[in-house]
Amino acid sequence: MAPVPRVTGSKLLVQIGDGASPEVFQHDCLINTKRGVQFTSETNETIMPDCANPEDPAWKSVTKDGLQATISGAGMLYSASLAEWWAWYNGDNAKNVRFNVTPAGYWQGAFKLTQFEVTADGNKETATTNSTLVSDGPVTWTANP
């Protein structure tokens, strides 16, 4: 049996597009310790009665109604990025973002910055950030060749 190849955290990169044509995607050092992507869906449920056995509990049927991706990131405060991230949070604009999983490929879509936090636990502790990006439209997967 062949072992599963490891993908380390350094191979997961949140890359933000610069809006140019062609667009260039760069990893921002503000997200430098934790990063993740979560996919969720809104659903509608329908109880499907069993006509042959109406006394029995009926099974639910689930229909997906809406899809969403959420990227979370955290790290030590990278002050060079603060002004750009603050402007992104303060506006309603989406930026094209890639969640790169090297060497497999990447998810890409438009994302809005919906949560941005800067904290420190004490006077001598390193300041940290937490951020949440929520998809604004479809997210696609592109496999690396």
Side-chain angles (χ1 to χ4, degrees):
M1 175 186 219
V4 175
R6 287 182 351 134
V7 176
T8 60
S10 65
K11 301 296 184 187
L12 304 177
L13 294 177
V14 177
Q15 299 172 313
I16 302 167
D18 63 3
S21 182
E23 191 154 30
V24 175
F25 289 84
Q26 300 263 342
H27 168 68
D28 190 298
C29 197
L30 191 96
I31 297 175
N32 55 48
T33 58
K34 294 182 182 179
R35 48 232 169 241
V37 62
Q38 178 185 39
F39 299 96
T40 57
S41 58
E42 298 291 325
T43 59
N44 292 314
E45 296 179 351
T46 304
I47 303 293
M48 303 298 291
D50 183 344
C51 294
N53 301 299
E55 296 293 322
D56 289 351
W59 284 98
K60 287 184 181 180
S61 172
V62 176
T63 305
K64 287 186 178 182
D65 191 34
L67 305 175
Q68 184 175 47
T70 303
I71 295 173
S72 59
M76 293 185 299
L77 177 61
Y78 183 61
S79 60
S81 296
L82 271 178
E84 184 176 344
W85 282 73
W86 179 245
W88 187 10
Y89 171 77
N90 251 344
D92 190 36
N93 60 320
K95 291 188 178 196
N96 291 324
V97 175
R98 285 183 179 170
F99 190 91
N100 197 343
V101 182
T102 303
Y106 58 87
W107 288 284
Q108 181 176 323
F111 284 80
K112 292 187 176 186
L113 178 59
T114 61
Q115 183 260 337
F116 185 61
E117 177 183 23
V118 176
T119 60
D121 288 333
N123 291 337
K124 306 257 182 192
E125 297 297 320
T126 302
T128 60
T129 64
N130 286 292
S131 54
T132 303
L133 314 174
V134 176
S135 61
D136 185 28
V139 173
T140 59
W141 170 257
T142 301
N144 286 333

